[in-house]
Amino acid sequence: MSEQQIEKADALAAEWHKEEQRKYTLEPYIEHPRAVAAIIRSVPHHTWELVAAALLHDVLEVPEPIRAQRILVIRRELGEIVLQYVLEVSNPSTPEDGNRKTRKAIDRAHLAKASPAGQTLRLADAVHNLHNLSELSPTFAKLYAAEKKLILPLTLAGDPTLHSRVSKIIGEILAS
């Protein structure tokens, strides 16, 4: 595994997420992609490219031309495979596309085209986003879990352990 490339991805993510905070916890946003990368590291047969993509998985959900500049940097610094994974899990919808339900449908249609690695990354992101959401915002947790339930059929080629974890967490949230 190329730890040097992972460190480069971490530095880029830290720079691009500086001064951002997580909703509800107000912790520095960089802690989320780092947690997702740690989840990816727990998956058998993970690659450095997938760990790097986990660190960068939210950096393209920004307006143009920032997005285009970041795509160029990722391609140049980390290569096509990392960029592909990041693009596969970057939600393409924008507020101009309509209400939340409409935007999430657009995002699911995009996810349906993701590679098994991209699906694994989306599942790792869901594990981290869901893990304590019920404690932080019980009302939003139910909405988010219902939305994530809809990605389960679209991520069957992803890591089976992560798929099972997401499914279990969703079930617990929706049953509470």
Side-chain angles (χ1 to χ4, degrees), residues 87-92 104-116 118-119 122 150-158:
L87 287 168
E88 287 178 353
V89 299
S90 294
N91 291 328
K104 294 303 172 187
I106 292 167
D107 297 340
R108 283 191 307 276
H110 177 71
L111 176 61
K113 302 174 204 162
S115 66
Q119 292 177 34
R122 176 53 67 216
L150 298 175
I151 74 161
L152 291 174
L154 307 175
T155 54
L156 293 171

Side-chain angles (χ1 to χ4, degrees), residues 134-163:
S134 287
E135 300 160 23
L136 300 170
S137 178
T139 304
F140 182 68
K142 288 211 182 268
L143 170 66
Y144 189 77
E147 290 171 348
K148 290 303 164 203
K149 186 175 183 178
L150 298 175
I151 74 161
L152 291 174
L154 307 175
T155 54
L156 293 171
D159 179 77
T161 302
L162 291 181
H163 194 276

Side-chain angles (χ1 to χ4, degrees), residues 37-47 50 120 124 158-162:
I39 292 167
I40 290 295
R41 284 182 186 266
S42 76
V43 172
H45 313 295
H46 63 272
T47 63
L50 192 54
T120 295
D159 179 77
T161 302
L162 291 181

Side-chain angles (χ1 to χ4, degrees), residues 10 87 133 155 168:
D10 185 80
L87 287 168
L133 193 54
T155 54
K168 181 179 180 210

Side-chain angles (χ1 to χ4, degrees), residues 10 13-14 17 20-23 25-41 50-59 61 89 91 120-133 136 144 148:
D10 185 80
H17 287 305
E20 293 178 15
Q21 293 180 319
R22 289 276 286 172
K23 193 186 263 185
T25 66
L26 304 180
E27 69 184 352
Y29 195 87
I30 188 61
E31 298 308 319
H32 168 64
R34 286 176 176 159
V36 173
I39 292 167
I40 290 295
R41 284 182 186 266
L50 192 54
V51 175
L55 289 162
L56 297 166
H57 78 274
D58 283 334
V59 302
E61 294 172 9
V89 299
N91 291 328
T120 295
L121 179 49
R122 176 53 67 216
L123 290 166
D125 181 48
V127 166
H128 187 255
N129 282 334
L130 287 163
H131 84 281
N132 64 348
L133 193 54
L136 300 170
Y144 189 77
K148 290 303 164 203

